[in-house]
Amino acid sequence: MPRVSQDQLDARRQEILAAARSCFARHGYEGATVRRLEEATRLSRGAIFHHFRDKDSLFLAVAEDDAAAMVETVARNGLVQVMRDLLAGAVSPDTTGWLGSQLEVSRRLRTDPAFARRWAERSAAIAEATRDRLARQRDAGVLREDVPIDVLAQFLELAYDGLVLHLAMGRPAGDLGPVLDLVEEAVRRR
């Protein structure tokens, strides 16, 4: 039997995550049956679950993958840039899948205490990246100083959540650029 390299295993894992993201976004967690996951990935359940213990682990891996990408963008460019990227890609199937995954994470946080406990660490990483970025921006003299960092972070997180909901509900992205300019201006030094 030929050996499979780690690069090949990693590539297959990423393919499964991409297809599963789309399936979870389209059908929700419960609707993304193993059969649908097999169809989406074009793999057998054995091949899928060779990489992931079960459907819950697969969903969490999709959400973690999305959260890691978000943490990286927040740390580098800030939460407003994440919002701008979302807006720029609003019509892309990848963005649509990502939005669906975010909504499913939100739903499971409300309804599944075990998932909420597992997700808390990922959520904390995003919040920490946001606060660290804000602190660096304040130290650089870019952010307003009359509002505590935690309040600015909550403001940006609420704006982000609102944008995600707006786009996930299928509302038109239209010209929300000026709205994001306003959000960004609200946290800047005057």
Side-chain angles (χ1 to χ4, degrees):
M1 176 179 252
R3 292 190 60 128
V4 178
S5 74
Q6 188 60 48
D7 287 345
Q8 290 170 313
L9 287 172
D10 292 345
R12 174 56 54 96
R13 186 177 192 282
Q14 289 305 312
E15 290 170 8
I16 293 169
L17 287 172
R21 176 179 294 106
S22 187
C23 189
F24 286 128
R26 185 176 305 113
H27 302 290
Y29 179 80
E30 281 81 17
T33 61
V34 172
R35 178 97 172 137
R36 284 183 169 153
L37 288 166
E38 288 175 317
E39 291 169 2
T41 61
R42 297 183 179 160
L43 297 171
S44 70
R45 70 186 59 212
I48 295 168
F49 296 121
H50 170 76
H51 294 272
F52 303 94
R53 186 178 69 240
D54 52 25
K55 186 172 107 171
D56 196 51
S57 296
L58 175 57
F59 179 77
L60 188 61
V62 166
E64 286 174 338
D65 194 50
D66 292 344
M70 186 172 165
V71 166
E72 185 178 312
T73 301
V74 168
R76 192 177 53 250
N77 301 311
L79 191 54
V80 173
Q81 186 59 48
V82 171
M83 291 185 254
R84 290 189 191 286
D85 292 350
L86 266 178
L87 198 55
V91 295
S92 159
D94 288 341
T95 301
T96 304
W98 185 86
L99 289 168
S101 294
Q102 290 299 296
L103 289 179
E104 192 61 27
V105 165
S106 297
R107 186 193 69 74
R108 292 204 54 210
L109 287 172
R110 287 189 329 277
T111 61
D112 184 344
F115 179 83
R117 284 189 298 276
R118 290 177 72 185
W119 185 252
E121 183 180 317
R122 283 72 181 179
S123 180
I126 295 168
E128 181 181 344
T130 300
R131 282 164 178 72
D132 288 350
R133 168 77 180 176
L134 289 171
R136 288 192 314 272
Q137 291 294 91
R138 179 168 281 166
D139 290 345
V142 175
L143 288 187
R144 57 191 299 172
E145 295 182 6
D146 61 326
V147 179
I149 293 285
D150 285 342
V151 173
L152 292 174
Q154 287 177 325
F155 171 73
L156 292 173
E157 289 163 3
L158 284 171
Y160 167 80
D161 290 344
L163 179 62
V164 168
L165 182 59
H166 179 90
L167 295 174
M169 290 175 58
R171 291 183 178 163
D175 190 14
L176 293 176
V179 175
L180 295 183
D181 292 343
L182 180 62
V183 168
E184 192 164 27
E185 185 61 33
V187 300
R188 296 245 179 232
R189 180 180 233 157
R190 297 170 192 209

